[in-house]
């Protein structure tokens, strides 16, 4: 076959990525076709296990990943109706995250790659979260602004191109999801706090208590949530000392409003300054109903297209890693067997 003919054939061929994610408490595997079509998305969640301890216990997470990972990968291939022979590349989250947890996914991906000869691609976890937006929004293409809010991260990012990011702002202390989890624990809602605060807030008055909206001097896009968390704790202590019974729903709704106000304000400022008419959200906190409603309203008022993944693609999953892995694959990125877990991997950094 001539080179042109071969190229034509290559272009028509589908690219299938087997993706693996194990950076925190979800053991996940997926098969993604041509970067946008999810053929399978298997998630084994450890939430019930960690709920007993009020948060993720890293050692337990790693051990559970080891127990589950092969089963989850087999299921992902089976559900997609493919075998390893059909797979073009194996994409795996190599950071950021819990080192022991990441190592399970990275080692498994390396072992499969070595045994099968299928190329290996390391993917940044946050790049995965951002890429989750491509799954259900086929028309979405960079450039756009993305707010990434999860249990471990709060980033405001300008997505310049596939795999090209400029971090405009990040949290100086707690991540947004972390603040949700800590406040939920303090008001007796338990773990994981985000979905519980979201639910109970619907019964509360968001203007009942005024909690602070923190600004970081000289860094307009940075976030700080630890002051807000302390303000909630101080309020609870003061009520206890005065013998006042707290209204859980009002505290939850007022706290949630303080977080949402800051996230929305920073996001809209970035959209305006960078002159982009597309805005997306990603990460576990992107499932928050109040945040979605507020952002949808503000984007509509500015004639900005608002994108958000379904909740199943907001939480940690491997489909999003397969999407990000596909664009890395197209760029020719391949990792060697020296690929290691990088717990503090920065967005845009390639190791
Ligand atoms: O992205 P994710 O699944 O894991 C990380 O990469 O961290 O995010 C988990 C975080 C948790 O802190 C959880 O409480 C929060 O997302 N979360 C929510 C909601 N659903 C999950 N926070 C607020 N509202 C929600 N509906
Ligand atoms: Zn995540």
């Amino acid at each position: 076959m001539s080179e042109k003919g071969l190229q034509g054939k290559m272009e028509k061929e589908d690219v299938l990525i087997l993706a693996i994610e194990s950076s925190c408490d979800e053991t996940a595997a997926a098969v993604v076709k041509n970067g946008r079509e999810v053929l399978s998305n298997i998630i084994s969640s450890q939430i019930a296990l960690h709920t007993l301890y009020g948060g993720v216990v890293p050692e337990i997470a790693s051990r559970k990943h080891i127990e589950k990972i092969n089963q989850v990968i087999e299921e992902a291939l089976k559900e997609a109706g493919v075998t390893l022979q059909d797979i073009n590349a194996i994409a795996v989250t190599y950071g950021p995250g819990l080192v022991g947890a990441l190592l399970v996914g990275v080692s498994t991906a390396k072992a499969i790659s070595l045994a099968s000869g299928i190329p290996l691609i390391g993917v940044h976890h946050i790049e995965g979260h951002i890429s989750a937006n491509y799954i259900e929004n086929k028309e979405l293409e960079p450039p756009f602004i993305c707010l990434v809010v999860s249990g471990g991260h709060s980033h405001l990012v300008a997505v310049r191109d596939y795999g090209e990011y400029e971090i405009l702002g990040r949290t100086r202390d707690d991540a947004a999801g972390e603040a949700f989890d800590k406040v939920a624990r303090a008001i007796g809602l338990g773990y994981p706090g985000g979905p519980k605060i979201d639910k109970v807030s619907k019964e509360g008055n968001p203007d009942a208590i005024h909690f602070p909206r923190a600004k970081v001097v000289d860094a307009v896009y940075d976030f700080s949530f630890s002051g807000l968390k302390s303000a909630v704790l101080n309020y609870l202590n003061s009520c206890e000392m005065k013998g006042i019974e707290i209204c859980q729903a009002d505290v939850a709704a007022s706290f949630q409003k303080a977080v949402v106000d800051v996230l929305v304000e920073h996001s809209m400022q970035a959209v305006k300054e960078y002159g982009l008419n597309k805005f997306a959200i990603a990460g576990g906190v992107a499932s928050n109903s109040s945040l979605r409603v507020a952002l949808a309203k503000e984007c509509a008022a500015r004639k900005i297209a608002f994108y958000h993944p379904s909740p199943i693609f907001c939480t940690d999953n491997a489909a999003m890693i397969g999407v990000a892995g596909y664009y890395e694959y197209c760029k020719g990125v391949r990792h060697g067997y020296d690929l290691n877990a990088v717990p503090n991997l920065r967005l845009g950094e390639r190791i």
Side-chain angles (χ1 to χ4, degrees), residues 41 48 106 110 113 129 151-152 170-171 205 241 253 278 335 350:
N41 186 32
V106 169
K110 287 201 282 192
S113 170
H129 273 302
R170 56 160 63 87
T171 183
N205 173 8
M241 281 163 68
K278 285 179 270 180
H335 279 94
R350 299 203 195 282

Side-chain angles (χ1 to χ4, degrees), residues 15-38:
V15 173
L16 293 186
I17 307 285
L18 169 65
I20 300 171
E21 154 67 39
S22 70
S23 65
C24 190
D25 60 347
E26 261 95 30
T27 321
V31 177
V32 175
K33 184 171 150 185
N34 300 331
R36 301 257 175 167
E37 195 183 332
V38 177

Side-chain angles (χ1 to χ4, degrees), residues 212-223:
R213 277 81 170 142
K215 282 204 173 9
V216 179
V217 182
D218 296 333
V220 283
Y221 297 124
D222 278 1
F223 304 103

Side-chain angles (χ1 to χ4, degrees), residues 90-154:
I90 301 167
V92 63
T93 307
Y94 73 114
L98 303 169
V99 68
L102 287 165
L103 274 171
V104 177
V106 169
S107 309
T108 306
K110 287 201 282 192
I112 300 173
S113 170
L114 182 64
S116 62
I118 302 169
L120 176 72
I121 301 170
V123 171
H124 192 289
H125 182 74
I126 297 185
E127 193 165 342
H129 273 302
I130 295 170
S131 304
N133 278 287
Y134 299 132
I135 298 170
E136 295 155 296
N137 303 299
K138 308 289 182 212
E139 75 285 9
L140 177 62
E141 290 196 27
F144 58 92
I145 300 284
C146 188
L147 173 71
V148 191
V149 270
S150 71
H153 318 276
S154 300

